[in-house]
């Protein structure tokens, strides 16, 4: 009990000391708060753009309960979708929630909303949308208003006529009117920190000229109606391509508010790419594509927001399973801002199916808890920033991140072997030009003696058995050579101990999955409580002595 109280107070203290002071703006590639401190957007998408035009799940749980579950899963933000017609079509905007569901014959949902969220059942759709934003605000959840589509419904296809300026349902002037109204409506609502101007531009009409013609108009309209929000712009081809910005800068009258958005799924590169080809080769290829089409923007001084990524969380889709380890490696390395697709455990109706189960959903079918807590655990390392302005608690170092588990290399105490643990406890490393991995602030380097055994920290790091190269197309295998010249790779035993093994399916083979051997060296300035407490010193004549016993 005593312990519990102390840690709760500590927790409270930690939370209050990191309270974000809004509004947000940009400082080079980082999103920062009012005091210049980095804010990492760790969002989840919450759909409110489907036929009923109501935030999903409100027939299952009270909105406050859902907001609290979002927070308890570690998200600090929601990318909240809306269809353009919600704000430009008066007869739609003024429909009550009850009328909207009645029109669609969704009577069971009406009963559910009446039970769980009685305060919104007879208010207009736009008021219901505002109520959800307020509820998120009361729970300190930031919101990005995402214009997802024009005509309410599931998005997106090349041929849905909602794809690009000039499409049947995508009139540029009406879009600017809608953005202006939405920006105005939420001016002064402090937890609305950004607006994503249009989701996944696409389709036969898409072209770069019109992108440069209309995107700045939308951006200026939003900024003049509400100068507090980040203005988030999406690329072409379903948010996959912002490469054209290399050749032509976007000209805006304002600064410090522009963020670019990209999407990246396992199927973005083909439904079966990850299964058909060797995962190292695919990861190398698609990560290069991503860097070339959107990732490069961070080097040019723009924040990049991955507005959608996600997988079937049942684990049934091998293509998705292989992709997500590669994605998490890249997202950790670049320390990107992001939004998981999606929150919904189920939809009121999707593709004509009432109560469709959403296997990509963070919530379970009844919106009671996490669908797959191991998936949430896996992305949790990416929910806090590794680095950025105002966060330098520790000197720059590397942490060794393991995307398959979402954990980092650490150890419980000096008598334990190196193992995987929470990234908040990660050992800080430096990676030298000689390719040694040295525990920061010590002389101890990572060394292997034999395949299949745990690793050692030694102080003589001259042999090939302490020289760690990043190999394979994915560059995610950390490989050294044993004394007999055999190459081995860092791997993880079933008890999470770090070991070495023969390197797995480095190329060609598409049947084997190398991801237990995938690690990323991630730049970090997070303070690493673990090692500072257990730092070792080498005293001549005495050998290794824990810091606190020295002197
Ligand atoms: C406006 O919304 C109503 C109600 O959903 C719909 O019947 C109508 O077709 C919409 N009008 C336009 C111009 O989209
Ligand atoms: C990078 O993108 C450009 C277009 O901006 C393209 O011409 C080039 O082939 C791409 N390079 C790679 C390695 O994908
Ligand atoms: C959660 O995901 C893991 C990894 O894909 C999978 O093995 C497990 O079966 C999933 N659990 C549930 C409850 O879907």
């Amino acid at each position: 009990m005593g312990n519990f109280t102390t840690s709760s107070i500590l927790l409270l203290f930690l939370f209050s000391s990191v309270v974000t002071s809004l509004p947000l703006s940009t400082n080079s590639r980082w999103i920062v708060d009012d005091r210049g401190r980095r804010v990492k957007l760790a969002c989840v998408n919450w759909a409110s753009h489907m036929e009923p035009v109501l935030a999903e799940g409100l027939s299952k749980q009270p909105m406050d309960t859902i907001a609290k579950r979002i927070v308890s899963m570690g998200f600090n933000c929601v990318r909240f979708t809306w269809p353009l017609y919600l704000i430009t079509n008066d007869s739609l905007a003024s429909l009550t929630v009850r009328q909207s569901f009645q029109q669609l014959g969704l009577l069971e949902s009406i009963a559910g909303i009446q039970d769980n969220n009685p305060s919104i059942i007879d208010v207009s759709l736009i008021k219901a949308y505002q109520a959800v934003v307020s509820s998120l605000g009361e729970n300190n959840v930031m919101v990005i208003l995402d214009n997802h589509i024009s005509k309410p419904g599931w998005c997106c296809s090349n041929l849905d006529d909602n794809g690009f300026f000039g499409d049947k349902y995508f009139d540029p002037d009406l879009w600017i009117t809608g953005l202006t109204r939405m920006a105005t409506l939420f001016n002064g609502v402090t937890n609305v920190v950004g607006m994503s101007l249009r989701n996944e531009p696409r389709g036969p009409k898409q072209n770069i000229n019109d992108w440069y013609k209309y995107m700045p108009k939308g951006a200026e309209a939003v900024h003049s109606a509400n100068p507090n929000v980040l203005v988030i712009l999406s690329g072409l081809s379903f948010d996959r391509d912002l490469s054209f910005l290399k050749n032509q800068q976007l000209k805006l009258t304002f600064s410090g508010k522009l963020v670019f958005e990209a999407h990246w799924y396992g199927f973005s590169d083909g439904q079966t790419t990850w299964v058909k080809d060797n995962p190292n080769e695919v990861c190398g290829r698609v990560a290069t594509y991503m860097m070339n089409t959107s990732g490069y923007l961070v080097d040019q001084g723009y924040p990049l927001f991955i507005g959608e990524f996600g997988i079937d969380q049942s684990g049934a889709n091998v293509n998705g399973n292989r992709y997500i380890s590669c994605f998490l490696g890249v997202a950790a390395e670049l320390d990107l801002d992001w939004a998981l697709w999606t929150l919904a455990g189920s939809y009121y109706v999707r593709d004509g199916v009432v109560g469709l189960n959403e296997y990509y959903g963070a919530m379970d079918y009844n919106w009671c808890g996490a669908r797959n807590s191991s998936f949430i655990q896996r992305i949790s390392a990416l929910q806090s920033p590794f680095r950025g302005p105002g966060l330098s608690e520790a000197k720059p170092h590397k942490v060794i991140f393991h995307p398959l588990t979402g954990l980092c290399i650490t150890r419980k105490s000096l008598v334990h072997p190196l193992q995987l643990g929470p990234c908040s406890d990660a050992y800080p490393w430096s990676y030298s030009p000689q390719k040694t991995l040295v525990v920061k602030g010590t002389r101890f380097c990572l060394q292997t003696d034999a395949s299949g055994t745990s690793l050692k920290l030694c102080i003589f790091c001259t042999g090939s058995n302490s020289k760690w190269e990043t190999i394979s197309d994915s560059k995610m295998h950390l490989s050294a050579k044993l004394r007999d010249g055999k190459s081995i790779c860092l791997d993880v035993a079933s008890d999470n101990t770090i070991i070495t093994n023969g390197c797995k399916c480095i190329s060609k083979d598409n049947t084997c999955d190398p991801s237990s051997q995938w690690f990323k060296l991630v730049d970090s300035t997070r303070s690493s409580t673990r090692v500072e407490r257990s730092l070792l010193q080498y005293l001549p004549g005495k050998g290794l002595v824990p810091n606190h016993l020295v002197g």
Side-chain angles (χ1 to χ4, degrees):
M1 189 64 196
N3 267 343
F4 173 76
T5 313
T6 316
S7 56
S8 330
I9 290 170
L10 193 67
L11 211 60
L12 265 177
F13 172 75
L14 284 175
F15 273 118
S16 56
S17 69
V18 297
V19 155
T20 305
S21 107
L22 302 171
L24 303 182
S25 57
T26 64
N27 172 1
S28 178
R29 62 149 293 189
W30 306 109
I31 294 170
V32 296
D33 71 6
D34 205 27
R35 293 173 300 175
R37 207 180 136 108
R38 183 180 181 200
V39 174
K40 178 159 177 165
L41 297 177
C43 315
V44 63
N45 280 275
W46 192 352
S48 184
H49 67 279
M50 309 271 280
E51 284 85 352
V53 200
L54 182 70
E56 298 292 334
L58 299 184
S59 61
K60 304 274 192 190
Q61 297 292 334
M63 59 178 81
D64 181 65
T65 305
I66 297 174
K68 288 187 164 60
R69 282 181 188 150
I70 291 170
V71 173
S72 73
M73 290 189 287
F75 302 105
N76 62 11
C77 146
V78 161
R79 180 175 180 259
F80 194 29
T81 69
W82 57 283
L84 183 62
Y85 293 171
L86 169 63
I87 198 92
T88 58
N89 175 334
D90 292 338
S91 58
L92 184 63
S94 61
L95 278 186
T96 67
V97 170
R98 187 191 301 278
Q99 288 163 343
S100 177
F101 280 80
Q102 270 166 351
Q103 282 189 355
L104 296 163
L106 299 170
L107 304 184
E108 206 177 313
S109 292
I110 296 178
I113 297 165
Q114 186 115 43
D115 282 351
N116 287 294
N117 291 284
S119 65
I120 58 151
I121 187 77
D122 289 313
V123 307
S124 65
L125 293 176
I126 188 68
K127 286 260 187 281
Y129 189 90
Q130 289 173 279
V132 173
V133 171
S134 299
S135 174
L136 290 167
E138 282 155 20
N139 288 284
N140 293 317
V141 178
M142 297 180 282
V143 173
I144 290 167
L145 309 175
D146 165 57
N147 176 219
H148 207 70
I149 197 166
S150 297
K151 188 176 184 290
W154 183 247
C155 191
C156 301
S157 98
N158 265 319
L159 301 174
D160 63 11
D161 283 323
N162 282 270
F164 203 71
F165 305 109
D167 275 352
K168 182 170 171 199
Y169 303 117
F170 195 171
D171 172 54
D173 294 330
L174 194 66
W175 174 69
I176 286 167
T177 302
L179 289 176
T180 306
R181 287 186 189 164
M182 208 65 174
T184 307
L185 189 62
F186 288 96
N187 193 345
V189 180
T190 48
N191 68 309
V192 173
V193 296
M195 284 180 64
S196 172
L197 268 48
R198 185 71 174 192
N199 178 64
E200 301 194 347
R202 63 189 175 276
K205 286 211 173 71
Q206 71 165 355
N207 69 88
I208 293 171
N209 285 345
D210 283 343
W211 192 95
Y212 279 102
K213 181 172 174 191
Y214 294 116
M215 282 299 178
K217 284 190 186 169
E220 298 288 351
V222 165
H223 185 73
S224 41
N226 184 347
N228 293 319
V229 289
L230 297 171
V231 172
I232 308 174
L233 299 185
S234 288
L236 297 176
S237 303
F238 295 84
D239 251 318
R240 289 279 289 164
D241 186 5
L242 286 155
S243 60
F244 48 85
L245 287 159
K246 276 181 205 160
N247 307 323
Q248 190 182 343
Q249 292 270 307
L250 188 70
K251 290 191 191 70
L252 296 173
T253 62
F254 60 92
S255 61
K257 290 287 179 185
L258 179 62
V259 173
F260 289 107
E261 175 169 343
H263 294 182
W264 183 6
Y265 287 105
F267 53 77
S268 303
D269 307 281
Q271 296 286 348
T272 58
T273 312
W274 286 92
V275 183
K276 252 181 21 235
D277 295 342
N278 174 274
N280 279 307
E281 290 169 0
V282 181
C283 182
R285 193 163 76 222
V286 301
T288 302
Y289 176 85
M290 181 271 181
M291 286 311 292
N292 191 27
T293 48
S294 59
Y296 77 93
L297 286 162
V298 300
D299 296 328
Q300 298 203 345
Y302 296 105
L304 179 65
F305 174 59
I306 305 296
E308 292 185 18
F309 75 95
I311 54 164
D312 172 344
Q313 289 179 31
S314 74
N317 185 299
V318 177
N319 201 66
N321 296 346
R322 290 182 174 184
Y323 135 84
I324 196 76
S325 290
C326 178
F327 170 84
L328 293 176
V330 174
E333 184 173 43
L334 299 178
D335 203 0
L336 297 171
D337 300 278
W338 50 260
L340 174 73
W341 187 271
T342 186
L343 178 67
S346 52
Y347 298 100
Y348 304 119
V349 61
R350 178 181 144 187
D351 301 326
V353 181
V354 174
L356 187 89
N357 192 357
E358 172 56 280
Y359 291 96
Y360 280 59
M363 305 294 303
D364 59 22
Y365 183 84
N366 285 315
W367 296 64
C368 285
R371 172 175 295 265
N372 190 332
S373 52
S374 74
F375 180 80
I376 301 298
Q377 160 60 42
R378 210 170 156 194
I379 62 173
S380 67
L382 305 191
Q383 288 175 325
S384 347
F386 285 105
R387 57 198 161 105
L391 302 171
S392 314
E393 295 146 337
K395 294 213 176 82
H397 59 269
K398 305 271 186 193
V399 298
I400 308 178
F401 176 60
H402 186 248
L404 181 62
T405 53
L407 300 173
C408 287
I409 296 186
T410 181
R411 62 175 165 178
K412 284 200 183 121
S413 81
L414 293 175
V415 299
H416 286 86
L418 288 170
Q419 60 185 175
L420 293 176
C423 289
S424 51
D425 287 346
Y427 259 37
W429 304 87
S430 58
Y431 188 49
S432 74
Q434 294 73 37
K435 308 282 165 87
T436 57
L437 279 164
V438 180
V439 180
K440 192 91 180 168
T442 76
R443 293 164 62 201
F444 295 101
C445 63
L446 189 67
Q447 197 172 96
T448 175
D449 281 339
S451 190
T453 60
S454 62
L455 279 96
K456 280 195 186 149
L457 289 176
C458 299
I459 52 170
F460 299 106
C461 316
T462 49
S464 65
N465 61 339
S466 52
K467 190 174 165 189
W468 298 93
E469 313 259 6
T470 52
I471 64 159
S472 84
D473 283 7
S474 70
K475 302 267 189 297
M476 284 165 80
H477 294 263
L478 278 167
S479 175
K481 285 199 173 73
L482 298 177
R483 288 180 204 285
D484 63 8
K486 182 174 181 276
S487 281
I488 42 82
C489 279
L490 223 54
D491 204 338
V492 181
S494 56
D495 66 353
N496 272 357
T497 303
I498 307 299
I499 55 171
T500 51
N501 269 325
C503 301
K504 279 194 208 162
C505 38
I506 294 300
S507 63
K508 299 196 177 68
D509 186 357
N510 70 344
T511 57
C512 115
D513 182 352
S515 58
S516 76
Q517 295 188 343
W518 278 1
F519 292 88
K520 261 291 183 199
L521 293 170
V522 177
D523 287 318
S524 174
T525 56
R526 273 190 203 172
S527 61
S528 334
T529 48
R530 178 68 57 183
V531 81
E532 275 150 25
R533 272 195 235 113
S534 59
L535 209 66
L536 289 169
Q537 279 196 22
Y538 181 76
L539 295 187
K542 289 191 178 156
L544 306 179
V545 180
N547 231 0
H548 63 283
L549 299 181
V550 176

